[in-house]
Amino acid sequence: MRYSQLFGKTRKEPPKDAQIASHKLLVQGGFVHQTAAGIYSYLPLGFYVLWKVDAIIRDELARRGVQHMVMPFVHPVSLWKETGRREKMDDILATFDAAHGGEYLLAPTHEETVTDLARTFIESYRDLPVIVNQNQWKYRDELRVSGGLLRTREFLMQDAYSFDKDEEGMSQSFELMSEAYHDIFDRIGLDIIVVRADSGTMGGSNSEEFMVVSDVGEDTVFVCEECNEGINAEAGENDNKCPKCKKALKEKKAIELGHVFQLGTCYAESMGANFNDEDGKSKPLHMGCFGIGISRVIAAIAEASHDDKGIVWPESVAPFNAHIVTIGDSEEVVEMAEDVYDELWDMGIETLLDDRDASAGEKLADADLIGVPHRIVVSAKSIKAGGVEYKSRNSKDAKVVPKEEIMDCITPGVLDEVREILGDNLGI
Ligand SMILES: [Zn+2]
């Protein structure tokens, strides 16, 4: 991609209402644009990040046998009356009357829709267990929104639903998803704490929140600095000790990014989602639900990984792997930049080439703001010194390397990502 043709531009000033770093930087960097209050367009740079987070989630779930599908964003209100949530969630539901008749709503979540599918397609214990997933847009009609992508009305969510024949199966699906979430956040590069809520009846935890400690978070958690165990606010206030190692807990602000939940049979019972068990009896399905706020993850990464110049994207979710900046427009500079650009794309390195007729200062500032992990500067000076100038976004030091060696600077990080996806069978 050539920066001169990129749809969406960096901005000098942050939005007036922006209070937090991720909001400022994602708008200034040209990643997102607010179309209406709490409703965002993802411009190409922002969409590439979204796409990569989405792909990591799909990969970790698919390798565990979770099946991907997509349910509608518009639901008939009648489905929501079956569970009583039409009334219960009234304050955040956006409903409308269709021109041809019928009342509909914009989905804030999908338990009703997936339970309707389950009662249609699951007949017998032989169909179980099953976990289905979608990465789908949601809408919550919140009165007030602020904080950029941290708190929006419309947002992209990964939401998976498990169906099992009994509590034991439900708890196994829960463990599988919880493990997947650890691996997902690991690959995304976020340092997660897990806050458990124990249920007396099931012997294990029936709900876990995946959170990242951040000063701009809206939740309060108590974290053990010894073993990183997280405790929710109520439990932490009662007994200021870590349940694992008995060390003192520290109060912190956190952003909730994911939630895994054992729902039991409540949805199946209210909607009549039953299956025939081995003993010939009809029984309600045991259900679990598992969600990650993908839009919010992007804000959390920008919060966790930035400096005063811009975002520092982790390799795994960066909009591009490499960013070439030309300084000057002499024939030798343009030729070398184009050579490196073609070669990197040929090697599978997604590369942005800043070919604009702009000052060196402006181009380098934009490169820092956008935060691509590997920066390559091509100038008359670098050519005279023997090649191109390489700098990693998270290091202060730049070095000049012959252009043939630029791949050696970039690939270790990129290859880690490829290995992650393909396993060790790659032989590299
Ligand atoms: Zn501890």
Side-chain angles (χ1 to χ4, degrees):
M1 182 72 227
R2 285 159 203 279
Y3 197 103
S4 58
Q5 290 160 12
L6 185 69
F7 188 71
K9 297 278 176 255
T10 56
R11 291 168 33 160
K12 293 251 174 335
E13 296 299 323
K16 281 193 199 74
D17 61 330
Q19 307 282 336
I20 60 175
S22 61
H23 188 183
K24 291 177 188 169
L25 296 174
L26 287 167
V27 173
Q28 279 189 271
F31 293 89
V32 296
H33 174 78
Q34 183 173 281
T35 296
I39 299 174
Y40 281 85
S41 295
Y42 287 76
L43 301 170
L45 284 180
F47 181 69
Y48 297 152
V49 176
L50 191 79
W51 201 1
K52 292 196 173 168
V53 174
D54 178 284
I56 288 171
I57 292 174
R58 285 181 196 279
D59 178 59
E60 287 298 333
L61 296 183
R63 70 166 68 178
R64 289 173 169 84
V66 176
Q67 300 175 58
H68 294 297
M69 62 177 203
V70 67
M71 292 179 276
F73 175 55
V74 176
H75 298 173
V77 163
S78 58
L79 265 186
W80 283 67
K81 286 184 175 161
E82 289 190 48
T83 58
R85 289 210 296 180
R86 167 67 189 91
E87 298 308 320
K88 228 180 271 171
M89 291 175 72
D90 185 53
D91 54 334
I92 58 121
L93 288 180
T95 60
F96 64 96
D97 294 315
H100 64 78
E103 202 190 349
Y104 293 85
L105 59 82
L106 303 182
T109 176
H110 281 75
E111 281 82 7
E112 279 78 1
T113 325
V114 78
T115 306
D116 179 49
L117 291 173
R119 71 184 168 188
T120 307
F121 293 105
I122 298 173
E123 290 173 0
S124 132
Y125 67 92
R126 289 188 201 89
D127 300 326
L128 300 169
V130 65
I131 308 179
V132 289
N133 177 70
Q134 65 174 353
N135 294 357
Q136 167 67 305
W137 295 92
K138 315 274 184 204
Y139 186 83
R140 293 172 64 99
D141 208 14
E142 306 278 3
L143 210 54
R144 287 188 309 160
V145 284
S146 62
L149 293 188
L150 263 193
R151 191 177 174 80
T152 55
R153 291 198 171 97
E154 190 191 42
F155 49 96
L156 183 61
M157 250 195 100
Q158 169 274 317
D159 51 321
Y161 304 89
S162 66
F163 294 96
D164 283 278
K165 61 191 175 99
D166 52 23
E167 262 182 37
E168 194 193 333
M170 176 173 69
S171 141
Q172 281 168 7
S173 294
F174 179 86
E175 292 305 324
L176 177 140
M177 287 299 296
S178 175
E179 187 194 292
Y181 275 23
H182 280 281
D183 288 350
I184 287 166
F185 286 117
D186 212 31
R187 277 176 67 178
I188 288 172
L190 281 171
D191 213 359
I192 284 293
I193 52 164
V194 179
V195 177
R196 289 178 185 82
D198 288 326
S199 108
T201 55
M202 265 175 277
S205 57
N206 75 339
S207 158
E208 288 177 1
E209 286 175 287
F210 288 74
M211 310 187 96
V212 60
V213 169
S214 167
D215 290 340
V216 304
E218 289 184 324
D219 292 285
T220 302
V221 288
F222 288 82
V223 185
C224 172
E225 294 199 314
E226 190 72 20
C227 68
N228 220 24
E229 181 88 354
I231 312 290
N232 67 29
E234 299 90 67
E237 274 156 18
N238 290 337
D239 167 23
N240 205 20
K241 293 225 168 69
C242 172
K244 258 193 192 163
C245 68
K246 303 295 168 204
K247 292 266 159 40
L249 297 169
K250 203 159 190 188
E251 186 178 327
K252 298 209 166 148
K253 290 281 170 207
I255 303 169
E256 185 193 334
L257 297 177
H259 204 159
V260 291
F261 216 86
Q262 300 188 30
L263 294 168
T265 57
C266 55
Y267 286 92
E269 279 170 24
S270 58
M271 293 183 68
N274 303 314
F275 71 101
N276 292 316
D277 207 351
E278 277 162 288
D279 56 13
K281 287 194 179 123
S282 175
K283 295 175 185 170
L285 290 161
H286 278 72
M287 190 171 163
C289 69
F290 315 91
I292 292 176
I294 297 177
S295 323
R296 191 181 271 197
V297 161
I298 293 171
I301 297 166
E303 285 298 335
S305 185
H306 71 267
D307 57 21
D308 55 352
K309 294 181 179 131
I311 302 174
V312 184
W313 292 108
E315 196 87 58
S316 60
V317 297
F320 288 94
N321 304 119
H323 188 154
I324 302 172
V325 174
T326 58
I327 295 177
D329 58 358
S330 69
E331 200 174 313
E332 57 168 2
V333 166
V334 172
E335 200 173 294
M336 183 168 299
E338 294 286 341
D339 274 1
V340 174
Y341 181 67
D342 288 341
E343 190 193 329
L344 290 179
W345 273 107
D346 286 346
M347 296 297 286
I349 308 295
E350 297 162 344
T351 304
L352 181 64
L353 168 60
D354 192 344
D355 55 343
R356 288 175 298 169
D357 180 19
S359 74
E362 190 177 339
K363 288 168 128 181
L364 295 175
D366 279 350
D368 281 340
L369 177 59
I370 293 168
V372 169
H374 306 283
R375 189 190 78 186
I376 299 148
V377 174
V378 184
S379 64
K381 198 175 127 203
S382 78
I383 293 172
K384 203 172 167 202
V388 300
E389 184 202 89
Y390 170 81
K391 188 178 106 46
S392 158
R393 177 63 182 88
N394 57 22
S395 132
K396 279 195 171 62
D397 306 317
K399 59 176 176 184
V400 173
V401 297
K403 97 175 158 63
E404 295 73 27
E405 287 173 24
I406 196 68
M407 275 300 285
D408 300 337
C409 302
I410 294 170
T411 44
V414 176
L415 285 184
D416 282 347
E417 277 312 301
V418 176
R419 269 198 202 93
E420 190 72 55
I421 292 164
L422 299 179
D424 291 327
N425 305 328
L426 217 56
I428 48 177

